[in-house]
Structures are given as C-alpha cells and as structure tokens.
Amino acid sequence: MMHPADLPETVSVFPLPGALLLPRSRLPLHIFEPRYLQMLDDALKTRERLIGMVQPNPCRSNEDKLHQIGCAGRVTQFSETEDGRYLITLTGISRFRVASELDAFTPYRRCAVSWDGFDRDLGTKAELDEGFNRSRFLHLLERFFASRQLSTDWDTLKDADDELLVNSLSMLLDFDPEEKQALLEAPCLRTRRETLVTLIEFAMRGGTNEEKLQ
C-alpha cells in the first residue's frame, strides 16, 4: 500500500493509445522500444517503481499533447527475454493529473503531476458499487459477447467482486481510446459501470463514437 506522501511530484509517462490502467488492476505490457527500455530500467532503480500510463489526446491542436488524466502503476512483475525485451506487469496505484510536461534529459517523456482528488484510488480495499444489479449486467454482457463472437470464463466473471469485474472489462474490451479515457476519468466505480454499460449498449446498436460519449 502506498500513502500520499510516497507519491512523487514527477512521473515518467508511457503514452500508449487504447491502453487503460486503473487503480488496483493489473496491466501486462511488452516493452521493446529503446526509449521505454531505458524508462523501465530507470523506474526499477527508484523506490516507487512507478510508470504513468497516459493516452495521447487527438482532440488537442498539438499531436504530441497528452490527456490531462492518467494512472500510475507500480512495476510488480518483469522478465527479460533473450533479445533484451521486457515483459512486465503494472499494478495500478493512483490516477493523477498532468500539471506540465518537463524538458527532461531522457529519451522518454516526464511530467509534473498532481495526485489531488484521487484519494479513493489509494489502498488495497476494493471500491464498492452500491445498487449494482449484477444479474442484469451479466445478461447484457452475455448478449454483447455473443454479438461479437467472444468467449470468456463466465464462472470467473460471476465470482469476481464489483471492482474487479467492472475494471477488468473496462481495460480488456476493445473500445476506442477516447472511450477508454472516459472510463478512466469516471469519478467512482458506479459512474464507471454506468459508462461501461452505455458503451456496450451503443456498440451493440452500432452507435457512433459521438453518440456513445454524450
């Protein structure tokens, strides 16, 4: 468990479209670009071992701009292949807000960040979703998976707690980057679940991206 005082003022960021990391969730990554290999090596030398996952923001005028909210993950597993690549797992610690991008003397990007407003992300206790109608949600999910010809371990889904179920689906389902960002920015688990349901329903109806996020 990390405390607010343990969180650094600057974070190395990995801008990867469509890759969503959420607090207390795990994201596997395959690292092979030289700049991100160095980023990982540098992160492993620190006490926190944090890497910030941030999505590029295509809506902003500069193509290098980032979304304002990302999520930092701690490197909890890593292995090196014979040709020098890394297979790692990030465990989500907390979301953050990008304050500014730094002129870093590194090949990868670094940002000054603020952790204010994301207190609920810290800790090991899963967030609850009061009023979650699990049977209705799973029925919708069965229809969605059938429409996409997807398969899953339904027993595992049914046994998962609310946060694990909603966050895992938010991370794994094939939504557009902007839709993933909406899931990340949801202020609480209930809002994320409602956003997820909206995205699934519109995907089944063939709605446009603009309609989904309204």
Side-chain angles (χ1 to χ4, degrees):
M1 175 178 175
M2 296 188 73
H3 301 279
D6 299 325
L7 298 172
E9 295 180 353
T10 62
V11 173
S12 304
V13 297
F14 189 179
L16 187 60
L20 176 62
L21 176 64
L22 293 167
R24 288 174 295 277
S25 299
R26 293 189 175 101
L27 176 67
L29 290 172
H30 177 200
I31 308 294
F32 56 89
E33 288 189 49
R35 56 180 168 169
Y36 296 125
L37 290 172
Q38 181 173 336
M39 179 184 69
L40 178 60
D41 286 340
D42 291 346
L44 292 174
K45 296 174 185 176
T46 66
R47 181 184 63 179
E48 301 88 3
R49 303 204 304 268
L50 293 182
I51 292 175
M53 299 301 299
V54 186
Q55 297 202 68
N57 189 348
C59 297
R60 303 184 71 175
S61 57
N62 188 326
E63 62 181 11
D64 291 330
K65 290 294 185 179
L66 303 172
H67 272 287
Q68 291 299 105
I69 295 178
C71 184
R74 180 178 173 87
V75 180
T76 50
Q77 291 182 340
F78 71 96
S79 60
E80 186 176 4
T81 63
E82 293 182 357
D83 57 359
R85 294 173 291 118
Y86 280 108
L87 303 175
I88 73 170
T89 298
L90 292 182
T91 298
I93 298 297
S94 175
R95 289 170 292 175
F96 59 82
R97 190 177 302 275
V98 174
S100 63
E101 186 164 352
L102 304 176
D103 293 326
F105 296 100
T106 58
Y108 52 87
R109 302 167 74 174
R110 292 181 57 81
C111 292
V113 301
S114 170
W115 309 93
D116 294 342
F118 300 112
D119 293 344
R120 71 171 67 237
D121 292 354
L122 295 173
T124 57
K125 188 176 181 180
E127 190 177 352
L128 299 177
D129 180 2
E130 300 294 341
F132 182 19
N133 189 326
R134 180 176 284 256
S135 60
R136 181 183 300 172
F137 180 80
L138 289 174
H139 178 64
L140 173 66
L141 201 60
E142 288 178 0
R143 291 166 47 215
F144 176 70
F145 274 49
S147 70
R148 297 296 180 91
Q149 298 182 328
L150 300 174
S151 61
T152 189
D153 183 345
W154 289 104
D155 290 335
T156 299
L157 284 183
K158 291 175 182 177
D159 292 338
D161 63 42
D162 294 352
E163 183 181 75
L164 180 61
L165 177 61
V166 172
N167 285 358
S168 296
L169 290 168
S170 297
M171 292 171 62
L172 293 172
L173 293 181
D174 187 23
F175 296 124
D176 291 339
E178 291 303 296
E179 296 165 359
K180 294 274 191 176
Q181 188 68 24
L183 291 165
L184 172 68
E185 295 185 11
C188 63
L189 185 64
R190 177 176 180 176
T191 307
R192 183 171 299 125
R193 184 254 303 168
E194 292 172 345
T195 303
L196 180 62
V197 167
T198 298
L199 292 174
I200 289 174
E201 290 177 340
F202 271 95
M204 293 175 63
R205 296 171 188 166
T208 67
N209 292 343
E210 291 77 10
E211 292 173 326
K212 292 176 190 176
L213 296 176
Q214 285 179 354

